[in-house]
Amino acid sequence: MNITLITVGKIKEKFLRAAIEEYSKRLTRYCKLDIIEVSDEKTPENASEKEELLIKEKEGEKILKNIKDNFFVIALAIDGKMFSSEELANFIQAQGINGNSNLAFVIGGSLGLSSDVLNRANYKLSFSKMTFPHQLMRVILLEQIYRGFRINSGEPYHK
């Protein structure tokens, strides 16, 4: 299976980069992982709704340029479906069985995802009703994908 993460922004914190590298290394046993970072747009302090919409659209265009036609796109969105770890594992496995062997998880920037990206998504996934920093969300997502592969392989994992 091929897993692609398309994310907005660079990871600046060393401890987050280390965690991403660790889970990326662990995932090599189970899948081919590709992480694509697109640059974020600077948001002015008191940005208007219109300015924020334009920023999301610009970031969305960069994201869409990296989505291939054969990708099954899973957008991380607060209004998406919430899964337990076991349900996410089953979801990933079901995609492979259904012929979707190229999964692309999309993490937006600090303002979220544009409507164009959400419309392109085949599925919307939520980890919580809470908002997380998009840099930290990358670590959480990679850990859950790794956990999902361990579950699907019948290997032990922390409950």
Side-chain angles (χ1 to χ4, degrees):
M1 179 164 280
N2 300 307
I3 304 280
T4 302
L5 266 59
I6 303 173
T7 64
V8 175
K10 299 259 184 240
I11 301 292
K12 296 171 185 75
E13 295 83 359
K14 223 187 273 189
F15 66 96
L16 291 175
R17 279 199 313 267
I20 289 165
E21 287 169 18
E22 178 62 27
Y23 284 112
S24 297
K25 185 175 79 178
R26 292 181 186 190
L27 278 165
T28 59
R29 268 185 74 192
Y30 305 100
C31 66
K32 181 184 177 301
L33 177 68
D34 189 21
I35 300 175
I36 299 169
E37 294 178 336
V38 301
S39 61
D40 56 346
E41 296 290 321
K42 300 298 173 229
T43 306
E45 270 299 311
N46 297 314
S48 67
E49 269 187 53
K50 187 177 180 182
E51 287 173 310
E52 287 184 355
L53 187 63
L54 285 171
I55 289 167
K56 283 200 297 189
E57 286 175 0
K58 284 181 184 176
E59 290 175 348
E61 288 170 10
K62 295 175 196 175
I63 290 168
L64 290 169
K65 284 180 185 169
N66 287 285
I67 294 176
K68 296 178 182 165
D69 290 341
N70 66 338
F71 280 0
F72 184 89
V73 178
I74 302 148
L76 272 61
I78 284 180
D79 64 341
K81 172 102 170 86
M82 284 192 226
F83 285 146
S84 66
S85 295
E86 292 82 3
E87 289 169 330
L88 179 62
N90 290 336
F91 177 81
I92 290 170
Q93 189 171 48
Q95 295 317 308
I97 291 167
N98 292 330
N100 298 318
S101 59
N102 296 299
L103 303 184
F105 291 86
V106 180
I107 302 173
S110 59
L111 299 175
L113 293 167
S114 71
S115 58
D116 287 343
V117 172
L118 292 171
N119 289 334
R120 170 57 182 90
N122 300 94
Y123 202 86
K124 290 195 292 187
L125 177 65
S126 175
F127 276 76
S128 172
K129 289 184 179 181
M130 291 184 272
T131 302
F132 295 100
H134 55 282
Q135 298 94 337
L136 180 59
M137 197 63 234
R138 197 181 310 183
V139 176
I140 295 168
L141 175 61
L142 285 170
E143 189 280 333
Q144 285 298 303
I145 292 170
Y146 171 69
R147 182 181 297 262
F149 278 111
R150 289 190 61 89
I151 290 168
N152 289 337
S153 297
E155 296 170 6
Y157 64 95
H158 293 288
K159 294 184 179 183

